[in-house]
Amino acid sequence: MIRVKTKIFSQAIPDYFEVDLEEGSSVETLLNRVREGVARENRQAGSHKMAFLNHTHGLVVLLNGMSIYSLSGWTTRLRDGDEVSLLPMFAGG
Amino acid sequence: MKKLVAHPDKCTGCRSCMLVCSFRHTDACSYPGARIKIVSDEGRGIHTPTLCQFCDDPPCATACPVEALSKDPKTNAIHIDESLCNGCQACVGACPFGAMFFDAQREKAFTCDLCQGDPECVKICLLPEALRYA
Amino acid sequence: MRFAIAGKILHVDLSKEKIWTEPVPEEWIRKFIGSRGINAKILWETMKPGIDPLSPENTLIFGTGTLSGTFAPTSGRTTVTCKSPTTHLYLKTNVGGHWGTELKFAGYDYLVVQGAAKTPVYLWIDNGKVEIRDARHLWGKDVRETTSLLHEEVGDSATQVAVIGQGGENLVFFAAVMVSVYNAAARGGAGAVMGSKKLKAVAVRGQGSIKVADKKEFYRSCHVAIKNSYEDATAKFAHLYGTAGSVPMVNEARAFPAYNFRRGYIEGAEKIGGPYLAESKYLKRRLGCNACIFCCHRYCEIEEGRFAGCYTGGPEYETISALGSGCGSIDLEVVIKANELCNIYGLDTISAGNLIQWAMEGYEKKIFTEQQLGGLRLEWGNGEAIVELLRRIAHREGLGNILADGVKRAAEKIGCGSEKWAIQAKGLEQSRVETRAAFGYALAFAVNPRGPDHLHSETIAEFGTRPGGRRLIKKITGDEKYANPRLMEKRADIVRWHEDCFAATDSLGLCAFINTSRFGVDPQQMADMFSAAIGRRVSEEELMQAGRRILTLEKCFNVREGATRADDVLPWRLMNEPLESLARGQDVMKAVEGKADPAEFVPINSPAMLNRMLDEYYALHDWDLQTSWPYRDTLEKLDLKEVIPELESSGKIPRKK
């Protein structure tokens, strides 16, 4: 088993989840696991988060600080201790 | 009938509306040529759109001595018959919102005509949504 | 009347008290577009090399965009150009607000200020009429107060004012020129140049108009740009959260400078980020520059607590990092208060924050005397100290006087090894990008003529986080896989495309956020708007070529001032110390010793890595690799023959081998 830390920025203050997965799980598997966890939560609090998690094209996904699009995308394999952050798309300087 | 409503708390003071309004109605972009004016207190970040309120019983029309002002039945905007307007500016003084303007060169009054029902200013304010036509 | 431009350059010589105008040469619009480009041409023509930037010999130029004064989206930007007191090199600094458009409506596209007044003055430009007026009663007053007083004096609160605060008056090397109260031409010390001329303000009232050549085509092309802008994925977030919205993402990417660039991450950064600010009691309004359709600026107030009564524009991402995480703080009230002080004193927040961080690190390392500190306790995160130190910098008091000369000189003066944590190159403090985590940025920062920051070519696309960005990288390099900030490959190509685009964007008067920060608008659309405005067909190639010509001219100004390849470096810390928060798991010693395989990502901007990228970049530009100077035929091909005689006579045209 591997343990992956997930930070979700569906709101201003992020939510933290620690997720246990099988060895070699992909980022996509992680996302599905998180969605399952949120669906089990209180409905009202969860709906905004669910909408955020379902809007896959509007997500910035970072694995240890690196965009997954610079790796193998959603099929990128995770390792124990990895940190994954899910953020909405922003820009600026 | 659709109404053009300003939401001052959303106004960012960008003046895109003034630039596109003057472009639409005159041969150039300018502030004096615009029929919507943004009044600003830059220090306090307050910007207020000034434009015609499309009164049901418009004081400008009442004040006009030659009956040049009427309501356009299609849009509810003020229509100014330029063949009658004699440039006296009574309407300018009568408007409680300061939203009737005067073109000193042509000696005619002018105000928002809602661009015949497709207001340009609204189309350029889609993110702040300070101007809404609905 | 000419199309798109008012048609006149306004010249003011403050030593001779002379005012005169000349027409804007049509040739200059063709070659240099406008604003930044024509400013650079005027700077080249009016300046001799080697002069003291704070002497009357410096030229201070305000240049409006060729599309300013129209409703072309984001067209209200203005460039201020001069020789920088902090780098002694080329400086252009860009600003929004509404001043530039007002100047154009007053009948002038450019204001060129030379010489220096004997006592403080301000310029009053009332449509065609120009006066030099006494400003002694305004000297010593802050930006906001001066603006109000000028409104009263000229009797019109719609007057646009470009003004310096105590920062510029006291020749702080990172003093800003402020317009529309909270908009800053911030970087590089243009405010100090204005202060050295004893020019307190330029007040403008413009009731004229700007015509375009082809109304129908102009309307069409502008609306294409507007539509594409609205459809970009991040347009709405730009309005909702501002540049502050980037904070959480950059922090998660471990690229958010904290503790004077010791770390790229700070716990709790979201508390100084855009979404948190938007939900807080502090954000009162969202504001926009002239003709903008995104309107990404903030306006905040603090109503209670230790900073009750504070009200200000901002904060932007850069300010948040410079005066927040950089100082080891995630206190939003401190960031807002510090921003207010920088705005009203007229200081660049990026440099001001950099100096405070340098001082905090120095305090930690005990390099200052009690006398220098004057009671200040510069612990990381101490908000009261940040606020007090800003006041001392603006007024050149105690330690503030040392810091006011910029971090390079402050470190030279204090020594104790503090040069190693002075985050500067060329004499300019680096802006808030962790270049050890983004190599395109690293190259762009190293070659920027004004010093290490992102406003010469911001390569956001290389992060690979957004589809528009990945498409752009593919367009430039042929493959989306190069949308990876930790690669060295293709950085030169990416930077060079961005440089051309930025120069064209700035010179048209458009905001940099329209095409490389959002991806809705491309150079073709810009060329379409430009063509319709001026009444002459300009292709995308011609527009980008003009961009190339502009930045090459800027490079030539630096060459003339004595800059060489040796100046295209990054701050010592970033070239010698690997980034802590990414170094976990990396072989750090290999990186430091330069023994790491270049293909392997190491979080450091080592000389070996930088040199490799510089070689590629100079080769792409057709500049000499050893000196970085353009060859004769490079300049001829770019239609920049006019710079050759002077460069040649001072031995600065390299021979091709």
Side-chain angles (χ1 to χ4, degrees):
Chain A
M1 290 297 272
I2 61 172
R3 179 160 285 183
V4 175
K5 290 187 215 170
T6 317
K7 237 167 141 175
I8 299 180
F9 287 80
S10 61
Q11 293 171 114
I13 303 294
D15 289 302
Y16 291 78
F17 292 98
E18 280 203 343
V19 184
D20 290 324
L21 299 163
E22 288 76 41
E23 288 279 340
S25 291
S26 69
V27 175
E28 178 157 24
T29 306
L30 171 70
L31 180 63
N32 287 330
R33 195 64 58 84
V34 171
R35 280 182 182 138
E36 285 163 22
V38 168
R40 283 196 294 271
E41 263 180 31
N42 172 288
R43 247 172 215 248
Q44 197 167 45
S47 69
H48 172 74
K49 233 173 275 174
M50 273 313 280
F52 173 79
L53 292 170
N54 286 335
H55 184 48
T56 3
H57 293 299
L59 285 181
V60 169
V61 186
L62 301 176
L63 169 56
N64 300 329
M66 184 106 147
S67 166
I68 56 168
Y69 290 100
S70 302
L71 302 165
S72 307
W74 290 100
T75 62
T76 306
R77 302 235 169 275
L78 297 164
R79 294 175 305 183
D80 188 47
D82 275 349
E83 293 178 20
V84 174
S85 309
L86 299 168
L87 304 119
M89 276 186 202
F90 293 149
Chain B
M1 182 87 62
K2 279 184 168 178
K3 282 179 170 290
L4 175 56
V5 180
H7 295 259
D9 56 319
K10 300 277 189 224
C11 179
T12 66
C14 76
R15 308 186 188 187
S16 296
C17 56
M18 292 175 72
L19 294 166
V20 76
C21 177
S22 51
F23 179 87
R24 163 73 187 252
H25 289 96
T26 71
D27 61 351
C29 291
S30 72
Y31 296 146
R35 288 124 192 265
I36 178 171
K37 312 279 198 205
I38 305 300
V39 178
S40 303
D41 175 355
E42 286 175 335
R44 281 287 175 188
I46 298 172
H47 302 279
T48 312
T50 297
L51 80 155
C52 178
Q53 295 297 293
F54 314 104
C55 305
D56 289 329
D57 187 13
C60 56
T62 307
C64 178
V66 296
E67 291 176 14
L69 270 52
S70 60
K71 293 275 256 179
D72 180 322
K74 195 169 68 107
T75 61
N76 208 29
I78 295 288
H79 172 75
I80 298 169
D81 185 340
E82 292 207 335
S83 66
L84 295 175
C85 174
N86 64 12
C88 73
Q89 299 191 60
C91 56
V92 176
C95 176
F97 307 105
M100 181 62 75
F101 310 107
F102 186 67
D103 182 341
Q105 250 189 342
R106 296 172 57 245
E107 293 190 342
K108 302 286 175 195
F110 65 95
T111 190
C112 176
D113 65 358
L114 285 173
C115 298
Q116 273 77 59
D118 188 22
E120 293 291 344
C121 54
V122 174
K123 292 191 277 204
I124 212 167
C125 193
L126 292 187
L127 277 176
E129 290 186 296
L131 298 170
R132 296 178 213 177
Y133 189 55
Chain C
M1 189 184 224
R2 291 166 71 175
F3 293 125
I5 58 170
K8 285 198 268 192
I9 301 172
L10 174 61
H11 286 274
V12 176
D13 186 323
L14 292 174
S15 300
K16 298 177 186 154
E17 291 177 34
K18 275 183 67 187
I19 300 169
W20 73 102
T21 66
E22 65 169 308
V24 178
E26 199 59 48
E27 172 80 338
W28 287 9
I29 307 227
R30 186 185 66 73
K31 284 177 69 166
F32 306 108
I33 303 172
S35 194
R36 172 179 161 186
I38 290 185
N39 283 15
K41 170 69 169 169
I42 295 172
L43 194 76
W44 174 269
E45 298 293 336
T46 59
M47 297 271 292
K48 290 188 177 33
I51 61 102
D52 174 2
L54 294 176
S55 75
E57 274 73 61
N58 202 351
T59 309
L60 180 65
I61 306 159
F62 297 78
T64 67
T66 301
L67 292 179
S68 298
T70 73
F71 70 94
T74 80
S75 59
R77 305 287 304 187
T78 300
T79 308
V80 178
T81 304
C82 61
K83 183 172 171 179
S84 163
T86 195
T87 63
H88 281 239
L89 294 172
Y90 175 81
L91 174 65
K92 66 93 182 152
T93 167
N94 192 280
V95 64
H98 300 276
W99 185 92
T101 293
E102 198 80 20
L103 184 71
K104 256 181 110 159
F105 285 153
Y108 306 109
D109 305 283
Y110 300 90
L111 167 62
V112 181
V113 184
Q114 293 172 286
K118 292 181 204 52
T119 56
V121 296
Y122 75 92
L123 289 181
W124 170 221
I125 302 172
D126 180 6
N127 290 285
K129 214 163 33 89
V130 183
E131 283 172 45
I132 302 172
R133 288 185 168 188
D134 183 17
R136 277 172 295 183
H137 56 299
L138 300 170
W139 202 255
K141 295 196 168 14
D142 73 36
V143 166
R144 200 158 44 197
E145 206 186 337
T146 306
T147 303
S148 293
L149 287 170
L150 281 171
H151 284 172
E152 267 177 51
E153 202 165 302
V154 305
D156 190 341
S157 63
T159 300
Q160 283 295 315
V161 182
V163 57
I164 55 171
Q166 293 89 335
E169 291 179 8
N170 294 324
L171 308 183
V172 176
F173 279 25
F174 42 93
V177 178
M178 306 297 293
V179 315
S180 311
V181 186
Y182 299 123
N183 294 268
R187 306 236 67 211
V193 173
M194 199 159 152
S196 73
K197 295 183 180 305
K198 295 251 181 320
L199 179 59
K200 177 66 176 170
V202 183
V204 186
R205 195 73 182 98
Q207 279 145 325
S209 61
I210 293 294
K211 262 189 158 111
V212 298
D214 183 342
K215 270 193 100 177
K216 191 161 165 215
E217 172 57 16
F218 188 72
Y219 182 88
R220 186 203 69 80
S221 56
C222 286
H223 269 278
V224 167
I226 290 166
K227 174 173 180 286
N228 289 345
S229 294
Y230 282 139
E231 285 174 3
D232 180 271
T234 61
K236 193 174 170 92
F237 288 126
H239 179 67
L240 287 178
Y241 305 123
T243 62
S246 303
V247 167
M249 196 213 89
V250 178
N251 195 50
E252 292 306 302
R254 305 298 190 269
F256 190 49
Y259 299 94
N260 198 32
F261 280 84
R262 290 209 299 224
R263 312 215 68 215
Y265 178 85
I266 190 168
E267 192 63 42
E270 50 275 354
K271 294 211 177 72
I272 48 176
Y276 185 86
L277 174 64
E279 288 169 17
S280 76
K281 54 190 171 174
Y282 307 117
L283 181 70
K284 300 297 186 193
R285 300 292 288 238
R286 294 178 171 88
L287 302 181
C289 299
N290 194 263
C292 187
I293 51 158
F294 300 109
C295 301
C296 72
H297 282 180
R298 318 282 91 188
Y299 169 82
C300 295
E301 291 180 358
I302 302 177
E303 286 156 333
E304 310 154 308
R306 63 212 148 124
F307 301 128
C310 166
Y311 63 108
T312 183
E316 300 293 331
Y317 162 90
E318 292 285 326
T319 304
I320 289 168
S321 179
L323 294 162
S325 60
C327 298
S329 162
I330 50 164
D331 189 335
L332 192 49
E333 286 194 353
V334 170
V335 170
I336 294 169
K337 179 64 186 174
N339 202 163
E340 183 196 36
L341 294 179
C342 288
N343 281 340
I344 64 177
Y345 293 146
L347 297 175
D348 171 26
T349 56
I350 295 172
S351 291
N354 184 302
L355 266 302
I356 293 173
Q357 293 163 47
W358 175 86
M360 282 178 163
E361 188 158 348
Y363 181 84
E364 182 190 77
K365 293 175 162 132
K366 299 181 167 42
I367 66 170
F368 301 117
T369 67
E370 280 308 312
Q371 199 198 24
Q372 282 164 337
L373 289 170
L376 281 170
R377 291 182 50 225
L378 291 173
E379 294 115 351
W380 294 106
N382 184 347
E384 276 74 19
I386 292 170
V387 165
E388 173 56 20
L389 191 46
L390 281 172
R391 198 195 59 74
R392 292 188 195 185
I393 289 170
H395 296 88
R396 283 192 173 269
E397 281 173 27
L399 182 61
N401 187 35
I402 295 171
L403 301 181
D405 285 345
V407 81
K408 179 171 186 231
R409 285 174 188 78
E412 282 165 3
K413 184 162 183 148
I414 299 287
C416 306
S418 66
E419 298 87 353
K420 294 198 172 139
W421 67 84
I423 312 297
Q424 61 83 26
K426 294 187 171 79
L428 182 73
E429 295 74 24
Q430 175 153 325
S431 68
R432 310 305 300 174
V433 178
E434 186 41 88
T435 48
R436 289 171 293 189
F439 291 158
Y441 276 86
L443 174 62
F445 279 39
V447 301
N448 184 339
R450 83 173 180 191
D453 70 27
H454 56 294
L455 292 167
H456 194 62
S457 49
E458 179 159 26
T459 54
I460 291 180
E462 77 165 340
F463 280 112
T465 50
R466 288 155 51 204
R470 294 195 289 276
R471 269 198 302 275
L472 177 58
I473 295 297
K474 182 169 180 172
K475 173 181 157 150
I476 297 168
T477 66
D479 197 325
E480 253 188 40
K481 74 177 185 199
Y482 293 114
N484 179 342
R486 300 182 191 182
L487 294 177
M488 271 185 292
E489 287 79 13
K490 301 293 186 185
R491 296 310 100 178
D493 297 82
I494 292 168
V495 168
R496 207 174 62 135
W497 187 94
H498 279 78
E499 280 180 334
D500 294 347
C501 183
F502 251 75
T505 304
D506 283 346
S507 302
L508 286 168
L510 301 174
C511 176
F513 288 170
I514 199 172
N515 53 23
T516 50
S517 179
R518 311 268 98 78
F519 298 101
V521 174
D522 59 26
Q524 182 60 62
Q525 290 171 51
M526 286 156 51
D528 288 347
M529 291 189 284
F530 185 36
S531 303
I534 60 169
R536 182 175 64 80
R537 182 76 225 146
V538 177
S539 67
E540 173 182 350
E541 287 73 38
E542 192 184 328
L543 184 70
M544 292 292 265
Q545 179 81 325
R548 176 75 50 79
R549 184 179 302 115
I550 291 162
L551 62 94
T552 305
L553 176 58
E554 295 171 329
K555 173 69 177 176
C556 289
F557 183 91
N558 278 4
V559 172
R560 190 171 73 174
E561 292 291 341
T564 67
R565 178 177 177 136
D567 296 289
D568 286 347
V569 289
L570 289 167
W572 190 93
R573 168 158 284 166
L574 310 189
M575 295 191 73
N576 291 280
E577 293 174 8
L579 176 60
E580 258 180 57
S581 28
L582 281 171
R584 194 172 49 117
Q586 306 273 348
D587 190 334
V588 166
M589 278 321 294
K590 251 205 213 169
V592 169
E593 291 164 1
K595 287 179 186 149
D597 186 321
E600 200 178 75
F601 168 65
V602 281
I604 193 169
N605 297 138
S606 69
M609 292 153 63
L610 186 59
N611 279 325
R612 179 187 141 168
M613 291 195 292
L614 285 175
D615 283 345
E616 276 180 39
Y617 171 86
Y618 296 146
L620 275 181
H621 265 294
D622 214 10
W623 296 350
D624 173 58
L625 292 193
Q626 200 186 356
T627 57
S628 83
W629 299 343
Y631 293 115
R632 173 184 255 277
D633 65 358
T634 308
L635 296 169
E636 281 170 351
K637 278 193 213 136
L638 266 177
D639 196 5
L640 266 181
K641 286 197 290 293
E642 62 253 55
V643 307
I644 294 174
E646 217 179 320
L647 290 177
E648 195 146 54
S649 66
S650 50
K652 294 196 169 141
I653 299 283
R655 292 219 176 289
K656 257 197 172 143
K657 276 138 199 124

